[in-house]
Amino acid sequence: MLTFGVTVLPDPPYTRLIEVLQQAEDQGFEYGWTYDSHILWQESYALLAIAATQTKTIKLGHCVTNPGIRDPTITASWYATTQDISNGRMVMGIGRGDSSRRVVGLKPVKVDEFERRLRMIKDLMNGRKVEWNGKELELAWVKEELPEIPMHVAGYGPRALGVAGRVGDGVIIQLADPQIIQWIMETARRSAEEEGRDPDALQCIVCAPSHVSDDLADAREQVRWFPAMVSNHVMDLIERYGENSDEIPAALTDFVKARKFYDYKEHSRVGAKHGEFVTDEICDRFCVLGNPEQISAKLRELESIGVDQFDIYLMTEGQDETLAAYGKELIPQFTGVAA
């Protein structure tokens, strides 16, 4: 069954993030996420703790945080603490770090270190003992009656997806192209199987903007920033694997050939100049656009290839209208089938 989430920027005023998450909860969304980029926006860890006290049922977390900008023991302790505050509603999304690290002059966390830190965080935040820096650590105050905090891992390349398969409870995929999604999940599940884990238990979480409108041309203008954001990660893959590598599908790498630059000051902003190279075709492939019938058809396609959650990146105009359209016309189509 396809479930639904929404990702909201931690933009000032901070009350807006709380308001949107409350709206999403009322409209039937099961997950409420936010970015973690403490220079570009307000500190999301503070805001999610407030959201935990101002919502009742929606699950909360980062899409995504990273294990390198803060000491990873702090990240683990914060999630465990907020699991208590929220009465068991936290869910972690975590990646190697893009804007959060690059804006302050750091590169994404190296893959081997990424895996080492994720293994520790997953155990520590869930009350298990860990060995770290030559010390045995335990959050002895973690409540046993609360559910496990799941860890969903974001990645595009084979090595990062290997970490997702070996360590994660799910894979966070920042695009809605079925062909690429299937390749990503096959890659992660292969690693899960090699690790002796159940590959079918690995959840698939797809994140992308969705603009509900009969005006497809305008909808595309709302989302050109998104494939441009994805191109940051693709450029990293090309640097590592080469432009024509057999390890990465051309469906993921071809579109960046026309890319000229990226300005983090316009990160995830409608009308960002660095998105001008993105074609209409890529907007349609990577996002979920159109009238309710067109959007429903795309969501059905995603569901048919095994997507577990569709998470709207709500960085477009008409946010309240998007939430209302999903709550009234789209989410009931999927929950109704399950019932």
Side-chain angles (χ1 to χ4, degrees):
M1 184 181 75
L2 189 65
T3 60
F4 291 86
V6 61
T7 295
V8 188
L9 283 184
D11 250 345
Y14 77 89
T15 50
R16 176 59 179 165
L17 178 139
I18 308 302
E19 176 188 336
V20 172
L21 291 177
Q22 289 171 331
Q23 281 186 43
E25 184 174 75
D26 291 342
Q27 295 289 357
F29 286 82
E30 290 190 35
Y31 295 86
W33 306 90
T34 192
Y35 278 6
D36 174 22
S37 198
H38 59 292
I39 300 297
L40 297 181
W41 303 291
Q42 292 185 316
E43 173 49 54
S44 59
Y45 276 64
L47 300 188
L48 277 181
I50 297 171
T53 69
Q54 301 298 313
T55 54
K56 297 180 179 67
T57 60
I58 197 166
K59 297 179 177 70
L60 300 168
H62 289 97
C63 188
V64 296
T65 189
N66 69 82
I69 206 70
R70 301 167 189 83
D71 186 278
T73 61
I74 292 174
T75 299
S77 182
W78 183 89
Y79 262 87
T81 301
T82 317
Q83 181 78 332
D84 185 10
I85 293 169
S86 67
N87 194 30
R89 290 186 284 126
M90 299 310 294
V91 54
M92 175 184 281
I94 193 162
R96 293 171 56 216
D98 179 28
S99 63
S100 175
R101 288 179 59 81
R102 294 187 204 268
V103 165
V104 298
L106 299 172
K107 292 184 178 181
V109 177
K110 291 184 180 297
V111 175
D112 289 346
E113 182 64 13
F114 179 57
E115 180 166 358
R116 188 177 81 92
R117 293 184 178 213
L118 262 53
R119 288 183 182 276
M120 185 278 288
I121 290 171
K122 188 176 185 183
D123 282 340
L124 187 62
M125 71 180 178
N126 285 302
R128 295 186 285 274
K129 292 179 181 179
V130 301
E131 289 285 338
W132 195 249
N133 296 331
K135 299 284 187 179
E136 185 178 271
L137 306 177
E138 180 186 10
L139 303 180
W141 42 265
V142 167
K143 291 183 177 178
E144 292 183 5
E145 63 268 26
L146 292 176
E148 182 109 349
I149 304 169
M151 173 185 279
H152 302 311
V153 181
Y156 292 94
R159 296 188 68 224
L161 293 172
V163 177
R166 290 188 294 272
V167 183
D169 298 298
V171 185
I172 289 176
I173 304 170
Q174 294 180 101
L175 48 78
D177 181 304
Q179 178 185 353
I180 300 172
I181 291 167
Q182 288 174 295
W183 173 80
I184 285 174
M185 291 308 299
E186 287 168 4
T187 303
R189 287 189 166 124
R190 192 179 310 119
S191 292
E193 192 166 20
E194 290 169 355
E195 186 78 1
R197 306 178 76 203
D198 178 4
D200 295 330
L202 204 61
Q203 289 200 335
C204 175
I205 300 163
V206 165
C207 314
S210 183
H211 195 66
V212 186
S213 174
D214 288 316
D215 186 346
L216 200 53
D218 176 65
R220 289 165 176 154
E221 293 308 316
Q222 293 287 318
V223 302
R224 290 194 199 278
W225 60 267
F226 175 70
M229 183 189 79
V230 173
S231 75
N232 287 327
H233 305 284
V234 176
M235 295 301 290
D236 286 345
L237 295 180
I238 290 172
E239 183 179 342
R240 176 170 185 84
Y241 295 97
E243 191 169 342
N244 299 305
S245 171
D246 292 337
E247 295 186 73
I248 311 293
L252 179 57
T253 56
D254 278 353
F255 84 101
V256 304
K257 291 176 181 177
R259 167 181 151 133
K260 296 180 175 64
F261 70 100
Y262 195 88
D263 183 357
Y264 276 98
K265 290 178 182 176
E266 292 191 297
H267 191 55
S268 296
R269 299 291 189 191
V270 173
K273 290 183 177 59
H274 54 238
E276 292 176 353
F277 78 95
V278 175
T279 64
D280 290 351
E281 181 210 2
I282 291 295
C283 288
D284 294 346
R285 279 174 47 198
F286 281 28
C287 305
V288 180
L289 308 175
N291 60 37
E293 291 74 23
Q294 291 168 315
I295 286 178
S296 179
K298 178 75 176 267
L299 293 174
R300 292 283 179 211
E301 184 179 14
L302 295 177
E303 185 181 49
S304 74
I305 63 167
V307 174
D308 295 291
Q309 180 189 150
F310 176 61
D311 170 29
I312 301 173
Y313 274 8
L314 200 67
M315 300 93 184
T316 54
E317 296 172 3
Q319 296 178 349
D320 296 345
E321 291 80 4
T322 298
L323 291 177
Y326 266 79
K328 183 180 179 181
E329 300 183 60
L330 292 160
I331 293 176
Q333 293 184 34
F334 294 85
T335 54
V337 169

XYZ file of all heavy atoms in Angstrom, residues 1-4 27-30 210 212 288 290-303 322-339:
327
model
N 0.832 -1.197 0.000
C 0.000 0.000 0.000
C 0.869 1.250 0.000
O 1.786 1.376 0.793
C -0.895 0.015 1.246
C -1.857 1.185 1.286
S -2.872 1.194 2.786
C -1.658 1.748 3.990
N 0.574 2.165 -0.902
C 1.332 3.412 -0.987
C 0.911 4.344 0.143
O -0.273 4.608 0.345
C 1.075 4.076 -2.339
C 1.943 5.278 -2.696
C 3.398 4.867 -2.857
C 1.431 5.933 -3.985
N 1.896 4.827 0.902
C 1.640 5.839 1.922
C 2.203 7.171 1.438
O 2.930 7.234 0.448
C 2.277 5.450 3.265
O 3.697 5.327 3.084
C 1.713 4.145 3.789
N 1.885 8.237 2.173
C 2.231 9.571 1.703
C 2.931 10.374 2.790
O 2.592 10.306 3.964
C 0.968 10.314 1.243
C 0.376 9.726 -0.005
C -0.508 8.657 0.075
C 0.740 10.209 -1.252
C -1.038 8.092 -1.084
C 0.214 9.644 -2.413
C -0.674 8.592 -2.318
N -4.812 16.124 6.687
C -5.160 15.676 5.338
C -4.848 14.197 5.101
O -5.039 13.696 3.993
C -4.431 16.530 4.290
C -4.840 17.989 4.264
C -6.235 18.224 3.700
O -6.906 17.293 3.271
N -6.678 19.473 3.703
N -4.332 13.503 6.104
C -4.101 12.071 5.967
C -2.694 11.662 5.598
O -2.441 10.487 5.306
N -1.752 12.613 5.598
C -0.355 12.246 5.370
C 0.179 11.512 6.596
O -0.071 11.927 7.726
C 0.487 13.501 5.106
C 0.282 14.109 3.745
C -0.805 14.954 3.507
C 1.151 13.854 2.707
C -1.006 15.526 2.256
C 0.971 14.418 1.451
C -0.123 15.259 1.225
N 0.954 10.457 6.361
C 1.497 9.669 7.473
C 2.877 10.138 7.917
O 3.294 9.839 9.031
C 1.568 8.189 7.091
C 0.203 7.531 6.972
C 0.309 6.025 6.829
O 1.225 5.421 7.446
O -0.496 5.448 6.085
N 5.460 17.750 -6.379
C 4.221 17.440 -7.072
C 3.388 18.706 -7.139
O 3.124 19.328 -6.101
C 3.448 16.338 -6.338
O 2.277 15.996 -7.051
N -0.207 20.137 -8.548
C -1.511 19.735 -9.069
C -2.092 20.885 -9.874
O -2.452 21.927 -9.322
C -2.462 19.346 -7.926
C -3.769 18.792 -8.489
C -1.814 18.325 -6.997
N 6.054 14.657 -10.192
C 4.695 14.128 -10.296
C 3.777 15.320 -10.549
O 3.403 16.044 -9.631
C 4.292 13.365 -9.021
C 2.875 12.815 -9.150
C 5.275 12.224 -8.756
N 0.611 17.545 -13.005
C -0.584 17.491 -13.826
C -1.857 17.590 -13.019
O -1.854 17.963 -11.847
N -2.959 17.251 -13.668
C -4.244 17.257 -12.977
C -4.361 16.003 -12.113
O -3.511 15.105 -12.198
C -5.391 17.379 -13.990
C -5.424 16.231 -14.987
O -5.151 15.081 -14.647
N -5.758 16.534 -16.233
N -5.394 15.918 -11.256
C -5.485 14.756 -10.365
C -5.462 13.416 -11.081
O -4.891 12.445 -10.566
C -6.820 14.994 -9.646
C -6.963 16.484 -9.610
C -6.408 16.953 -10.926
N -6.049 13.339 -12.273
C -6.050 12.070 -13.015
C -4.641 11.691 -13.470
O -4.223 10.530 -13.364
C -6.982 12.173 -14.237
C -8.455 12.276 -13.896
C -8.854 13.644 -13.356
O -8.132 14.646 -13.639
O -9.872 13.733 -12.640
N -3.901 12.670 -13.967
C -2.525 12.410 -14.409
C -1.631 12.035 -13.219
O -0.801 11.123 -13.315
C -1.971 13.647 -15.121
C -2.628 13.924 -16.467
C -2.269 15.291 -17.019
O -2.280 16.296 -16.306
N -1.934 15.344 -18.316
N -1.818 12.729 -12.118
C -1.018 12.427 -10.929
C -1.359 11.052 -10.384
O -0.470 10.266 -10.020
C -1.218 13.521 -9.867
C -0.477 14.788 -10.309
C -0.743 13.060 -8.492
C -0.631 15.971 -9.387
N -2.633 10.718 -10.358
C -3.039 9.396 -9.887
C -2.417 8.297 -10.736
O -1.947 7.279 -10.214
C -4.564 9.286 -9.909
O -4.977 8.006 -9.481
N -2.375 8.508 -12.046
C -1.781 7.506 -12.936
C -0.296 7.318 -12.639
O 0.208 6.188 -12.610
C -1.987 7.913 -14.394
N 0.425 8.418 -12.402
C 1.853 8.321 -12.073
C 2.046 7.617 -10.730
O 2.936 6.763 -10.575
C 2.473 9.723 -12.048
C 3.966 9.780 -11.677
C 4.857 9.320 -12.815
C 6.343 9.473 -12.486
N 6.920 10.733 -12.923
N 1.207 7.942 -9.752
C 1.309 7.300 -8.445
C 1.018 5.805 -8.542
O 1.661 4.996 -7.873
C 0.362 7.966 -7.447
C 0.690 9.415 -7.070
C -0.411 9.997 -6.202
C 2.040 9.525 -6.363
N 0.045 5.435 -9.380
C -0.249 4.009 -9.581
C 0.958 3.291 -10.194
O 1.265 2.146 -9.836
C -1.449 3.840 -10.515
C -2.770 4.305 -9.945
C -3.339 3.310 -8.969
N -4.599 3.790 -8.426
C -5.043 3.504 -7.215
N -4.309 2.725 -6.423
N -6.186 3.959 -6.784
N 1.635 3.965 -11.109
C 2.824 3.371 -11.717
C 3.909 3.166 -10.666
O 4.560 2.121 -10.614
C 3.332 4.268 -12.846
C 4.502 3.673 -13.604
C 4.986 4.561 -14.731
O 4.614 5.753 -14.794
O 5.764 4.055 -15.562
N 4.095 4.174 -9.803
C 5.087 4.049 -8.737
C 4.727 2.900 -7.794
O 5.578 2.095 -7.405
C 5.213 5.361 -7.964
C 5.761 6.562 -8.748
C 5.754 7.807 -7.878
C 7.164 6.295 -9.280
N 3.459 2.831 -7.447
C 3.003 1.761 -6.555
C 3.250 0.390 -7.194
O 3.654 -0.562 -6.515
C 1.524 1.950 -6.255
C 0.959 0.961 -5.246
C -0.527 1.175 -5.004
O -1.285 1.288 -5.997
O -0.936 1.232 -3.832
N -1.941 22.196 -2.686
C -1.395 20.865 -2.978
C -1.783 19.871 -1.890
O -2.245 18.754 -2.176
C 0.140 20.926 -3.110
O 0.484 21.771 -4.213
C 0.734 19.541 -3.344
N -1.606 20.277 -0.636
C -1.970 19.394 0.478
C -3.454 19.055 0.434
O -3.849 17.901 0.640
C -1.629 20.053 1.815
C -0.141 20.217 2.145
C 0.019 20.952 3.472
C 0.564 18.871 2.203
N -4.285 20.070 0.157
C -5.726 19.843 0.129
C -6.128 18.919 -1.015
O -6.990 18.033 -0.847
C -6.461 21.177 0.011
N -5.505 19.094 -2.185
C -5.818 18.234 -3.328
C -5.448 16.786 -3.040
O -6.203 15.854 -3.367
C -5.089 18.734 -4.575
N -4.290 16.583 -2.428
C -3.894 15.217 -2.066
C -4.835 14.645 -1.013
O -5.276 13.485 -1.105
C -2.441 15.189 -1.581
C -1.467 14.872 -2.694
C -1.070 15.843 -3.598
C -0.966 13.584 -2.860
C -0.189 15.557 -4.634
C -0.080 13.281 -3.887
C 0.305 14.262 -4.771
O 1.153 13.959 -5.790
N -5.146 15.446 0.007
C -5.995 14.955 1.086
C -7.400 14.615 0.628
O -7.993 13.618 1.069
N -7.930 15.403 -0.309
C -9.313 15.225 -0.743
C -9.443 14.241 -1.896
O -10.359 13.398 -1.912
C -9.899 16.577 -1.151
C -11.366 16.519 -1.558
C -11.882 17.901 -1.943
C -13.346 17.850 -2.379
N -13.855 19.193 -2.789
N -8.522 14.323 -2.873
C -8.723 13.594 -4.128
C -7.772 12.422 -4.351
O -8.117 11.489 -5.090
C -8.589 14.564 -5.309
C -9.584 15.712 -5.298
C -9.441 16.585 -6.528
O -9.603 16.060 -7.644
O -9.159 17.794 -6.369
N -6.578 12.462 -3.771
C -5.563 11.468 -4.138
C -5.305 10.426 -3.057
O -5.380 9.220 -3.321
C -4.272 12.193 -4.531
C -4.414 12.977 -5.844
C -3.344 14.049 -5.973
C -4.365 12.023 -7.035
N -5.009 10.855 -1.844
C -4.727 9.880 -0.780
C -5.882 8.909 -0.578
O -5.646 7.693 -0.436
C -4.349 10.608 0.531
C -3.005 11.325 0.360
C -4.281 9.628 1.697
C -2.576 12.167 1.555
N -7.155 9.372 -0.594
C -8.258 8.417 -0.397
C -8.310 7.315 -1.454
O -8.793 6.208 -1.168
C -9.509 9.315 -0.466
C -9.031 10.656 -0.044
C -7.651 10.764 -0.610
N -7.810 7.580 -2.651
C -7.806 6.541 -3.696
C -6.960 5.347 -3.292
O -7.238 4.208 -3.664
C -7.265 7.116 -5.004
C -8.129 8.164 -5.651
C -7.546 8.607 -6.995
O -6.942 7.803 -7.710
N -7.699 9.886 -7.318
N -5.895 5.620 -2.540
C -4.945 4.566 -2.183
C -5.313 3.926 -0.841
O -5.246 2.697 -0.689
C -3.527 5.122 -2.178
C -3.079 5.542 -3.561
C -3.384 6.787 -4.060
C -2.403 4.645 -4.377
C -3.023 7.162 -5.342
C -2.043 4.994 -5.674
C -2.341 6.265 -6.150
N -5.714 4.724 0.126
C -6.129 4.144 1.402
C -7.422 3.361 1.230
O -7.650 2.356 1.897
C -6.322 5.237 2.471
O -7.239 6.224 1.963
C -5.016 5.900 2.800
N -8.262 3.801 0.288
C -9.523 3.112 0.034
C -9.309 1.706 -0.504
O -9.996 0.761 -0.129
N -8.293 1.564 -1.368
C -7.981 0.244 -1.931
C -7.531 -0.714 -0.818
O -7.925 -1.861 -0.759
C -6.868 0.357 -3.014
C -6.348 -1.000 -3.393
C -7.417 1.081 -4.235
N -6.712 -0.154 0.099
C -6.200 -0.994 1.191
C -7.334 -1.466 2.094
O -7.365 -2.591 2.575
C -5.180 -0.202 2.005
N -8.328 -0.584 2.334
C -9.426 -0.937 3.217
C -10.309 -2.000 2.574
O -10.876 -2.832 3.223
C -10.242 0.311 3.531
